[in-house]
Amino acid sequence: MKIVILYGSPRKGDTYEIVDKIKSQLNVLSTDNLEFDEVFLADLDYGFCKGCYNCFEFGEDKCPHYNQINPIIDKIKACDGLIVTSPVYVLHVTAMLKNFFDHMAYFYHRPYFFTKKALAVSSTGGVGVKDVLSYIEEDLENMGFNKVYKIGLTMARRDDEKLEKEIKKVSKTFYDDIASGKTHSPSFKRLIMFNVWRAMNSKSTALKADYEYWESTGLKYHEFSPTIKLPLIKKAYAKLLHSILSRVF
């Protein structure tokens, strides 16, 4: 089992400490070789997203920072689980994590990670941890991630005994979910987002790279990724939704 860890902080502080404890728990739980591939975003130099739109229109390989970004994307594509970390900076994720997510924006248009599980980790001296965790969760889900777990620490209310219990619990749930190989049915909100992009890219007049992705993967012909089994009610809902959205777009 391979776990990729994205460290979104320039420091090895409280968030790093939580992840270190999670790694220890995962090692205890693992009955097979467990490999951690750690990516420290602070050590990378690829500049800010330029908003050039190349990834949307012509493909992610046309990003000015493709050579620096794509090796990390390949790691995420190949991993069994992803851990994303960020302390709270001014009530939000750190600039370096936000910048990395900006470089992954094309996955909003072309969702990919349908069978992947993730864990979001954050810490704060006062407030904002829930907002940061929710932001990471929403971004990953819109990129296709099947399930995102969350754990956060507020230093002002730190309770080491409670934190240890939470770390053990979320580590086990995260590990067991990956090991099971099972997938979770998407929420209605995720069905809406998927079918919005599906409808927008059903015609060749859509952005070139987006259209080619939906066409080549065959996703344009499905209510959601065929790797995920939809209950009949969600399948019917998505079918009706796509019919309406296709007329709108």
Side-chain angles (χ1 to χ4, degrees):
M1 184 184 291
K2 180 179 287 187
I3 307 294
V4 169
I5 306 175
L6 292 182
Y7 290 101
S9 172
R11 301 173 58 250
K12 292 184 178 180
D14 297 317
T15 310
Y16 182 86
E17 178 187 334
I18 297 173
V19 175
D20 200 46
K21 293 178 183 294
I22 290 171
K23 286 169 59 183
S24 297
Q25 284 299 314
L26 292 175
N27 277 319
V28 169
L29 292 164
S30 177
T31 56
D32 200 354
N33 292 329
L34 185 60
E35 179 183 345
F36 295 105
D37 193 342
E38 299 179 300
V39 178
F40 293 88
L41 296 178
D43 294 341
L44 305 178
D45 183 18
Y46 49 80
F48 285 106
C49 170
K50 296 179 178 295
C52 63
Y53 227 64
N54 283 350
C55 62
F56 295 146
E57 191 159 6
F58 306 112
E60 60 271 23
D61 58 325
K62 298 301 187 289
C63 171
H65 307 134
Y66 176 77
N67 291 335
Q68 293 79 30
I69 294 294
N70 197 61
I72 307 173
I73 302 299
D74 283 343
K75 290 176 186 285
I76 298 174
K77 286 181 176 180
C79 77
D80 298 292
L82 174 68
I83 298 176
V84 179
T85 83
S86 175
V88 178
Y89 277 19
V90 197
L91 301 181
H92 213 295
V93 296
T94 61
M96 61 188 65
L97 181 60
K98 178 63 170 67
N99 184 38
F100 184 75
F101 276 174
D102 286 349
H103 281 87
M104 293 181 72
Y106 61 91
F107 284 117
Y108 265 65
H109 289 222
R110 309 192 286 274
Y112 181 89
F113 308 96
F114 295 105
T115 61
K116 304 289 185 185
K117 316 293 174 57
L119 172 60
V121 183
S122 184
S123 66
T124 181
V127 297
V129 74
K130 288 185 178 180
D131 291 337
V132 163
L133 291 174
S134 293
Y135 169 78
I136 295 173
E137 177 186 34
E138 184 172 17
D139 261 17
L140 294 178
E141 286 188 345
N142 282 324
M143 295 176 195
F145 275 83
N146 182 244
K147 181 70 176 179
V148 182
Y149 297 94
K150 299 176 289 186
I151 184 169
L153 169 65
T154 300
M155 290 300 295
R157 299 192 300 273
R158 179 163 183 162
D159 181 331
D160 287 336
E161 185 176 344
K162 181 180 178 182
L163 178 62
E164 291 292 337
K165 289 181 179 178
E166 289 179 356
I167 288 173
K168 287 182 179 180
K169 181 179 179 181
V170 76
S171 298
K172 186 175 190 317
T173 305
F174 180 54
Y175 177 84
D176 287 348
D177 198 5
I178 296 172
S180 73
K182 296 178 181 178
T183 52
H184 304 270
S185 175
S187 66
F188 284 98
K189 180 180 178 182
R190 292 191 67 190
L191 284 175
I192 292 172
M193 291 302 298
F194 179 89
N195 282 281
V196 164
W197 291 112
R198 178 186 170 209
M200 287 179 67
N201 291 288
S202 60
K203 305 277 187 185
S204 59
T205 51
L207 294 174
K208 182 175 182 292
D210 288 353
Y211 175 77
E212 288 178 351
Y213 175 79
W214 287 87
E215 181 72 28
S216 64
T217 59
L219 285 174
K220 64 182 287 184
Y221 304 109
H222 297 276
E223 287 73 32
F224 199 69
S225 169
T227 57
I228 312 296
K229 187 175 181 180
L230 286 181
L232 287 178
I233 188 170
K234 288 186 176 179
K235 192 176 183 69
Y237 172 81
K239 192 181 291 289
L240 175 61
L241 179 66
H242 179 258
S243 176
I244 296 170
L245 290 171
S246 294
R247 293 189 183 94
V248 172
F249 290 121

